[in-house]
Amino acid sequence: MAAPILPATPCLNTMTFAIDTALLLDLAAIVAKAGASLPRRNRREGLARKPDGSIVTAADVACEQALCAMLAQRLPGLPVVGEESASADGVMPDAETVAVIDPLDGTSAYADGRDDYSVNLAIVRGGVAVLGVDQRQSGEVDA
C-alpha cells in the first residue's frame, strides 16, 4: 500500500487532523503566490458565462492552472478538483485525499473591480475537509 500523501495524526479534537507545519506553510505560500499573480487591470478579459450561468474570466482559468502546477510540484500525484476544470456532473476523483480549489471566489466582484474576492484551497480526506487556505484580496492568508 502506498504511503498517504498527507499525514493523518489525530489532535485533541478527534474531528481534526494535525498537518505537517512545513506543508501548511507551503500550501499557504502557493495560494498567496497564485493570488498575487491575479491581474489588477483588464479584469474582464476573457469574460464568459458557464453553463450554470455564473461568469468566468481569463484570470480564473490562469489562476487555476497556476495552482494546479504548483500543487503538482509540491504534492505529486494528489488529484486536484478545480472549479473551472471539474466535471460538470460534480463527481470527485476516486481517491482518499484530493485538493479542491476555487481559483477566484467572487469572480463577479473581481470582474467589477471590487476587492471582495479570494483564492481558496482545501485538502479533503475521506470526504471531509481537513485543511483550508483562503487568500483574500487584502493579502491576508488564513489557514
Side-chain angles (χ1 to χ4, degrees), residues 71-136:
L71 284 169
Q73 203 169 34
R74 178 57 175 89
L75 297 168
L78 179 68
V80 177
V81 177
E83 179 183 13
E84 309 313 331
S85 60
S87 64
D89 59 13
V91 174
M92 295 284 279
D94 185 24
E96 174 64 16
T97 304
V98 299
V100 178
I101 57 176
D102 184 345
L104 187 46
D105 187 27
T107 300
S108 293
Y110 173 82
D112 289 344
R114 299 192 325 262
D115 293 335
D116 50 332
Y117 61 88
S118 63
V119 178
N120 302 298
L121 162 68
I123 301 296
V124 177
R125 180 181 289 129
V128 176
V130 296
L131 178 142
V133 180
D134 169 62
Q135 189 263 339
R136 293 183 292 283

Side-chain angles (χ1 to χ4, degrees), residues 3-130:
I5 294 173
L6 301 172
T9 307
C11 293
L12 292 176
N13 176 350
T14 59
M15 296 303 292
T16 62
F17 296 90
I19 301 294
D20 178 281
T21 303
L23 175 62
L24 178 60
L25 292 173
D26 287 351
L27 295 178
I30 286 169
V31 170
K33 186 175 182 178
S37 72
L38 290 168
R40 303 294 179 224
R41 295 188 176 150
N42 303 321
R43 291 180 173 194
R44 298 182 74 81
E45 183 180 333
L47 184 75
R49 291 242 175 241
K50 296 190 285 189
D52 68 2
S54 63
I55 63 169
V56 62
T57 65
D60 285 276
V61 175
C63 188
E64 182 167 309
Q65 290 170 344
L67 284 166
C68 287
M70 289 185 278
L71 284 169
Q73 203 169 34
R74 178 57 175 89
L75 297 168
L78 179 68
V80 177
V81 177
E83 179 183 13
E84 309 313 331
S85 60
S87 64
D89 59 13
V91 174
M92 295 284 279
D94 185 24
E96 174 64 16
T97 304
V98 299
V100 178
I101 57 176
D102 184 345
L104 187 46
D105 187 27
T107 300
S108 293
Y110 173 82
D112 289 344
R114 299 192 325 262
D115 293 335
D116 50 332
Y117 61 88
S118 63
V119 178
N120 302 298
L121 162 68
I123 301 296
V124 177
R125 180 181 289 129
V128 176
V130 296

